[in-house]
């Protein structure tokens, strides 16, 4: 915890801290905690998350269009798991809703839930991009 | 150098698990990755890891099936589950199927490393013990038992564990041996020491099989001369055979003819079922002249020896 706190502190000599990043869509402290306070890991996870997002969304859309409950459950579970690591509660809640629909095989409202997830993931992108920029700058 | 196999369809989670383990530089891990159960099993055919860390919800073979497959093919490789919200029920099933431990997805940074180290340490100790057990040339157990049916189950369980540790036989033969020993011990208790009639013995066994205590047994446990009688067990498990001598202190009886092994007609006879089981599950069954001691022998079949 001490290490996390140390990492969260703003160091004027170093790169900008996480406090300057957008916090309305995700919880940077939680994200840092989930990687044991290691910014390098967080940076790699962000990069992979951004890379995986288009494929995840395509699979969710496909699962909803074909009413494929197993696929929907699995992909939504993956998105939920990854979002939770970043404290992205909006995205993880939207993913959980789809995961439950997939598990129950109930597709009423799935299109709307899919759009909601897409919107939540889109909201994450600027925050992630800003973080990636900071860390590489 | 411990080899850890991380199985997860999510690249984000694979990276996180791998990186959290890599942070512990002192252990010099080799971390390998697979994105689903099938790919993991294929990898394990080439290199058997010391521990597997797996997600539960994956495409194709799910985590539950994967745990079952590892348990069968690699019983000495512990599996740690990564559990997320929504996979709790699966996790319980997987633990019942043999997973060694679990780490909630949200607590990986705090708990993953310690859990993997703990499981590795236990598995290492188990492997050492297994190797030591394989060096045992002979195991001898001598017991003097009171007339307590609960002890019989414990004796059978203990002997089965000894057989397993010495890799004396496979799981099926171990069950057969257990059934045969239980039959012989119950016979010594009911017909020998407690001198129950065949009908009384059937009643007692029915009660015991339902987990109930038996009034007849409880009565005779405190009545002379039954209460002072013991059951004597002498078990010698060697490299070539396991030999069990079970003797009661009853009055003895005219011994029945030992039925032929594998004779299906014997299964139709209600009386002497215990004897039929003994004969079919053991290689040798002999009684002493007094009828109060039975010797059971099981030969080791080398081809059947497996590590379980």
């Amino acid at each position: 915890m001490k290490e996390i706190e140390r990492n969260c502190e703003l160091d004027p000599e170093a790169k900008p801290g996480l406090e300057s990043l957008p916090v309305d869509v995700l919880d940077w402290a939680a994200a840092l905690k989930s990687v044991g306070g290691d910014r390098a890991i967080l940076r790699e996870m962000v990069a992979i998350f951004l890379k995986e997002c288009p494929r995840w969304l395509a699979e969710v859309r496909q699962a909803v269009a074909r009413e494929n409950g197993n696929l929907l459950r699995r992909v939504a579970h993956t998105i939920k798991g990854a979002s939770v690591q970043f404290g992205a509660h909006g995205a993880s809640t939207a993913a959980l809703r789809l995961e439950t629909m997939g598990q129950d095989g109930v597709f009423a409202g799935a299109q709307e839930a899919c759009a909601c997830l897409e919107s939540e993931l889109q909201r994450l992108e600027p925050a992630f991009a800003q973080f990636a920029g900071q860390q590489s700058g | 150098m411990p080899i850890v196999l991380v199985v997860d369809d999510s690249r984000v989670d694979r990276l996180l698990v791998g990186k959290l383990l890599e942070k512990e530089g002192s252990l010099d891990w080799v971390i390998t990755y697979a994105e689903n159960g099938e790919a993991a099993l294929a990898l394990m055919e080439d290199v058997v890891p010391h521990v597997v860390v797996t997600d539960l919800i994956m495409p194709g073979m799910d985590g539950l099936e994967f745990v079952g497959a590892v348990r069968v093919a690699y019983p000495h490789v512990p599996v740690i589950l990564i559990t997320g919200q929504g996979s709790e029920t699966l996790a319980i099933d997987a633990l019942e199927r043999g997973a060694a431990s679990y780490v909630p997805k949200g607590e990986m940074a705090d708990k993953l490393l310690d859990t993997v180290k703990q499981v590795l340490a236990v598995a290492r100790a188990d492997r050492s013990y297994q190797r030591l057990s394989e060096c045992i040339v002979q195991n001898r157990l001598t017991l003097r038992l009171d007339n307590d049916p609960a002890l019989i189950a414990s004796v059978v369980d203990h002997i089965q564990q000894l057989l397993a540790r010495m890799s004396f036989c496979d799981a099926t033969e171990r069950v057969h041996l257990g059934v045969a020993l239980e039959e012989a011990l119950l016979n010594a208790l009911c017909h020998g020491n407690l001198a129950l009639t065949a009908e009384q013995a059937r009643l007692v066994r029915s009660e015991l099989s339902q987990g109930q205590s038996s009034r007849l047994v409880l009565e005779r446990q405190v009545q002379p001369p039954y209460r002072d009688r013991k059951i004597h067990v002498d078990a010698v498990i060697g490299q070539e055979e396991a030999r069990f001598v079970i003797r009661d202190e009853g009055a003895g009886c005219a011994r029945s003819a030992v039925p032929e092994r594998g004779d299906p007609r014997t299964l139709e006879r209600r009386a002497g079922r215990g004897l039929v089981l003994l004969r079919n599950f053991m290689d040798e069954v002999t009684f002493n002249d007094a009828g109060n001691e039975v010797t059971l022998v099981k030969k080791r079949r080398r081809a059947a020896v497996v590590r379980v």
Side-chain angles (χ1 to χ4, degrees):
Chain A
M1 197 61 202
K2 286 245 184 310
E3 191 181 352
I4 293 166
E5 285 165 5
R6 211 168 38 245
N7 276 291
C8 289
E9 282 168 10
L10 267 175
D11 180 355
E13 301 298 319
K15 297 165 188 170
L18 298 176
E19 291 84 346
S20 62
L21 294 169
V23 293
D24 57 332
V25 292
L26 44 74
D27 180 344
W28 286 109
L32 203 50
K33 188 180 176 198
S34 76
V35 294
D38 191 318
R39 285 170 186 245
I41 299 178
L42 189 58
R43 189 171 59 242
E44 285 191 64
M45 282 177 64
V46 165
I48 291 179
F49 191 97
L50 287 171
K51 200 170 175 184
E52 291 286 277
C53 256
R55 184 174 63 84
W56 287 337
L57 278 173
E59 286 187 342
V60 167
R61 287 191 208 104
Q62 185 191 71
V64 170
R66 295 181 183 175
E67 300 199 346
N68 183 336
N70 285 335
L71 178 62
L72 183 59
R73 179 197 178 200
R74 180 174 59 73
V75 181
H77 178 81
T78 299
I79 299 171
K80 182 192 73 183
S83 304
V84 164
Q85 303 293 0
F86 296 106
H89 301 301
S92 61
T93 303
L96 172 62
R97 191 173 158 207
L98 283 161
E99 182 184 349
T100 307
M101 287 176 165
Q103 188 167 348
D104 299 342
V106 176
F107 291 88
Q111 296 282 0
E112 293 77 11
C114 180
C116 175
L117 174 66
E118 203 163 338
S119 163
E120 288 293 339
L121 291 176
Q122 279 171 356
R123 291 177 67 208
L124 288 173
E125 280 184 34
F128 280 156
Q130 195 175 336
F131 170 75
Q134 278 184 4
Q135 301 304 303
S136 61
Chain B
M1 188 183 291
I3 301 170
V4 184
L5 173 58
V6 179
V7 189
D8 202 314
D9 63 313
S10 164
R11 284 182 65 197
V12 174
D13 289 335
R14 279 204 304 275
L15 173 89
L16 179 57
V17 171
K19 292 290 181 184
L20 288 174
L21 294 177
E22 280 174 14
K23 277 163 75 78
E24 176 68 36
S26 65
L27 278 170
D28 204 13
W29 314 96
V30 173
I31 302 170
T32 55
Y33 301 90
E35 59 183 38
N36 55 49
E38 287 94 340
L41 289 172
L43 267 177
M44 290 173 80
E45 284 181 18
D46 295 328
V47 179
V48 179
H50 293 88
V51 62
V52 174
V53 179
T54 184
D55 188 20
L56 276 170
I57 298 177
M58 296 185 287
M61 173 187 278
D62 67 19
L64 194 59
E65 293 171 278
F66 176 59
V67 168
V70 173
R71 182 79 182 84
V72 170
Y74 307 95
H76 295 300
V77 177
V79 178
I80 297 170
L81 313 169
I82 301 295
T83 59
Q85 188 189 359
S87 62
E88 295 87 350
T89 308
L90 264 182
I92 295 295
D93 289 344
L95 287 168
E96 284 174 0
R97 285 200 191 186
S101 189
Y102 72 97
V103 179
K105 202 166 268 188
E107 298 174 38
M108 283 201 289
D110 288 336
K111 294 185 176 161
L112 179 67
L113 190 58
D114 286 344
T115 305
V116 172
K117 282 159 82 174
Q118 178 200 16
V119 166
L120 272 173
V122 171
R124 196 178 300 119
D126 188 56
R127 275 196 301 277
S128 298
Y129 186 72
Q130 180 65 29
R131 285 186 60 203
L132 176 65
S133 298
E134 286 164 9
C135 301
I136 296 172
V137 175
Q138 190 185 77
N139 228 322
R140 182 162 196 155
L141 181 71
T142 304
L143 300 166
R144 194 173 61 195
L145 307 171
D146 290 329
N147 295 310
D148 180 356
L151 282 175
I152 290 178
S154 300
V155 170
V156 171
D157 186 51
H158 184 69
I159 290 175
Q160 284 184 305
Q161 286 184 37
L162 290 178
L163 292 164
R165 284 173 192 160
M166 290 178 69
S167 300
F168 184 86
C169 55
D170 65 19
T172 305
E173 283 190 308
R174 225 167 34 238
V175 171
H176 287 174
L177 262 159
V179 170
L181 286 171
E182 188 174 64
E183 285 294 333
L185 288 163
L186 282 172
N187 185 62
L189 174 79
C190 295
H191 295 292
N193 285 355
L194 302 185
L196 301 176
T197 64
E199 198 53 47
Q200 286 172 324
R202 262 196 292 279
L203 174 65
V204 165
R205 295 181 60 142
S206 168
E207 289 167 336
L208 295 178
S209 69
Q210 292 171 51
Q212 300 167 1
S213 56
S214 165
R215 185 182 53 79
L216 264 170
V217 172
L218 292 173
E219 282 174 4
R220 296 204 176 179
Q221 275 176 335
V222 292
Q223 275 174 17
Y226 317 109
R227 68 177 184 197
D228 302 319
R229 294 173 178 169
K230 306 288 182 190
I231 300 170
H232 301 262
V233 180
D234 189 22
V236 181
I237 304 167
Q239 292 192 316
E240 301 303 324
E241 66 173 33
R243 180 176 291 265
F244 308 94
V245 179
I246 295 167
R247 179 168 57 84
D248 61 68
E249 294 180 352
C253 57
R255 60 192 174 97
S256 318
V258 178
E260 280 301 309
R261 187 173 193 180
D263 180 356
R265 289 171 303 176
T266 59
L267 298 179
E268 295 164 11
R269 299 177 201 148
R270 190 178 172 200
R273 175 181 164 276
L275 205 51
V276 172
L277 291 172
L278 293 187
R279 187 64 196 99
N280 282 280
F281 290 164
M282 306 301 286
D283 293 307
E284 291 175 23
V285 180
T286 51
F287 289 89
N288 67 351
D289 289 338
N292 70 334
E293 180 183 288
V294 62
T295 301
L296 310 172
V297 178
K298 184 76 177 174
K299 303 284 186 192
R300 188 173 200 164
R301 268 181 281 282
R302 292 283 171 191
V305 171
V306 291
R307 293 163 191 247
V308 177

